Amino acid sequence: MNVTENPSRQSSQGEGPPSVTIAFIAESAGVSIPTVSKVLNGRSGVSEQTRARIENLINEHGYRRPSGNRSGTVELVFRKMEDMWAVEIIRGVERAARKSRIGVMVSELGPHDSSPAASIDDTVGRRSNCVLFVSQILATEREKLKAKDIPFVVVDPIDELPDDVPFVGTTNWRGGHSATRHLLDLGHRRIAMINGPDHPFCRARMAGYFSALAEADVTADPELMVRTALTRQHGYSAALELLSRADRPTAIFASNDMQAFGVYQAARELGLSIPGDLSVVGFDDLVVSDWVDPPLTTVHQPLFEMSVAATELALTLGRGEPVPQLGLEIATTLTLRDSTAPPRS
C-alpha cells in the first residue's frame, strides 16, 4: 500500500512533512490525538512520562507543529530601549515584516536579573509567528520558546550562543582592525583603546586592534587600554584618565559611539582640539555621529541590514522552510568623517 494512503501518515493542512502528522505521532506513542495536542500546546493533563515519550517522537520524526493559530506578528524583544541604535533595528524589522505582510510588536523584558520568567511567559502567550531578541537570550527563554515551537533569532548577540541558536551579527574583529589600521595609516603610534565589558564582541574588537598594531610593528601598550561600560559617562571618565597623562595618546579608538562622545567631552574640558590634538574613532555609526562637532569617524555596524536579515531568517524558520545556515555575520565598513587627522609633529 502506498504510504500516502495511510491516514496516520498523511500531511494535513501544512501540519508537517508529508510522512509525519499529529495522527502518526499519536499512533506511535499509543495515545489519542487530543493528548498529543495537549503536549504541543503546553497544556496540563498529561503525565510526565507520556509527555516525554511524545516529545521524543516529535523530535525524532521532525514533526513541524502547526502554526495556524499564530498571531500574525513578529515580536521584537529588547532588554532595554535606551540605546540609540534601537531605532535602526526597529526600522529593519518593520521593513522585512511589511514585505511579508506581517505586523511588528516591540516589547521590553528588562535586565536579565529582573524576573525574566514572567516576562518571557507573556511573550510565549502572545504566540507570535517568530521572536527576535536584541543582543541576548537566556537559556530559560530559549527553552520556553522551543516548547511552544516559536522560532527565534538573536540580533547582534553579545554572548556566545549554542550552535543551534540562530543569530545575525557583524564582523567585530574586522571593525576593530579597520579602525586601528586607519589611525596607523595616518601616522599615529600611541593609539589608545577604550574597550567595553568582557563580552565576545568587545574581545573581538580589541583583537582586531591588537592585530592591526602587530601588522604595523607597533607594540601594544597596556597603559593605553581601558575596559569600561559602553556609556558616554564611562567613555568620558576613561578619556580623562588617558588624556591627563604626560605621554598622552594621539588617538583613541572607542568601542562604541557613546564612549566616543564621552571622549569628545573630556577633550573639550582639557582644552584639546579634535582632530588637531586628538583623533577619535567610534564604533556603531549612530545617526548622531554625523551631527557632533566634528562629525565622528566610526565603524559602521549595519544594524538595519542585520535586522532585515534576522527577520527574514526568523520568518523562514517559522514557515518550516530550510535555511542555508543558522548564523550570519554582515560586514562592517569604516565611515570616514572629520574626527581623524595625522598627528601633530
Side-chain angles (χ1 to χ4, degrees):
M1 181 175 69
N2 190 300
V3 169
T4 57
E5 294 174 357
N6 185 342
S8 70
R9 295 180 66 89
Q10 280 185 306
S11 177
S12 172
Q13 298 178 355
E15 289 180 341
S19 61
V20 183
T21 68
I22 190 171
F24 172 71
I25 297 295
E27 180 182 346
S28 300
V31 298
S32 66
I33 290 176
T35 298
V36 176
S37 179
K38 287 181 180 180
V39 173
L40 290 171
N41 291 286
R43 295 198 297 269
S44 59
V46 182
S47 70
E48 289 301 317
Q49 183 178 5
T50 301
R51 186 181 300 275
R53 185 165 73 252
I54 293 171
E55 288 286 1
N56 286 337
L57 285 166
I58 289 169
N59 294 330
E60 177 185 347
H61 293 287
Y63 174 74
R64 300 297 304 181
R65 294 167 169 85
S67 58
N69 58 345
R70 298 298 189 204
S71 65
T73 61
V74 173
E75 183 162 353
L76 175 60
V77 178
F78 290 89
R79 290 292 168 192
K80 60 178 182 178
M81 292 183 63
E82 298 173 359
D83 302 288
M84 293 185 189
W85 48 255
V87 175
E88 284 299 290
I89 293 176
I90 293 171
R91 284 185 57 240
V93 172
E94 288 186 331
R95 171 73 63 83
R98 186 166 59 248
K99 184 178 178 181
S100 296
R101 299 179 182 274
I102 295 288
V104 177
M105 176 178 180
V106 180
S107 59
E108 186 178 34
L109 286 185
H112 62 81
D113 56 354
S114 61
S115 302
S119 297
I120 193 62
D121 285 343
D122 292 340
T123 298
V124 170
R126 285 188 280 270
R127 297 192 63 79
S128 299
N129 290 46
C130 55
V131 181
L132 300 172
F133 281 79
V134 178
S135 299
Q136 189 177 43
I137 184 171
L138 305 181
T140 53
E141 294 164 349
R142 296 197 302 266
E143 293 308 312
K144 286 178 179 288
L145 290 165
K146 287 179 180 178
K148 292 294 186 178
D149 197 35
I150 301 175
F152 57 87
V153 174
V154 183
V155 187
D156 194 24
I158 64 172
D159 298 317
E160 295 288 353
L161 296 170
D163 291 340
D164 63 344
V165 175
F167 74 91
V168 176
T170 192
T171 53
N172 289 293
W173 183 94
R174 174 178 172 174
H177 184 274
S178 63
T180 311
R181 179 77 263 171
H182 169 62
L183 293 169
L184 288 163
D185 288 344
L186 288 172
H188 293 277
R189 290 301 178 265
R190 287 191 58 75
I191 303 172
M193 181 176 182
I194 302 177
N195 200 7
D198 189 26
H199 290 303
F201 76 98
C202 290
R203 294 197 296 269
R205 293 174 190 182
M206 177 162 271
Y209 163 83
F210 283 142
S211 180
L213 291 178
E215 290 170 8
D217 293 324
V218 175
T219 302
D221 184 350
E223 296 297 317
L224 295 181
M225 289 171 276
V226 180
R227 187 181 293 278
T228 189
L230 295 165
T231 68
R232 175 174 177 165
Q233 181 59 41
H234 286 85
Y236 163 75
S237 299
L240 276 183
E241 176 188 344
L242 289 166
L243 297 174
S244 297
R245 297 173 181 171
D247 192 13
R248 62 175 177 80
T250 62
I252 294 179
F253 166 41
S255 279
N256 74 348
D257 289 348
M258 296 306 296
Q259 286 182 337
F261 300 151
V263 175
Y264 273 46
Q265 181 182 355
R268 283 196 302 269
E269 289 188 7
L270 295 173
L272 300 175
S273 66
I274 299 174
D277 299 311
L278 177 71
S279 287
V280 182
V281 179
F283 200 116
D284 281 338
D285 198 14
L286 301 175
V287 172
V288 292
S289 298
D290 198 26
W291 303 347
V292 294
D293 184 23
L296 177 67
T297 292
T298 182
V299 177
H300 175 72
Q301 184 173 204
L303 292 171
F304 178 83
E305 293 83 356
M306 289 160 61
S307 54
V308 167
T311 307
E312 292 175 345
L313 174 59
L315 290 172
T316 300
L317 292 170
R319 293 191 296 266
E321 299 172 3
V323 295
Q325 59 188 46
L326 289 179
L328 174 65
E329 287 190 338
I330 300 179
T332 57
T333 54
L334 186 64
T335 301
L336 297 177
R337 296 195 179 99
D338 300 333
S339 66
T340 54
R344 285 178 175 169
S345 54

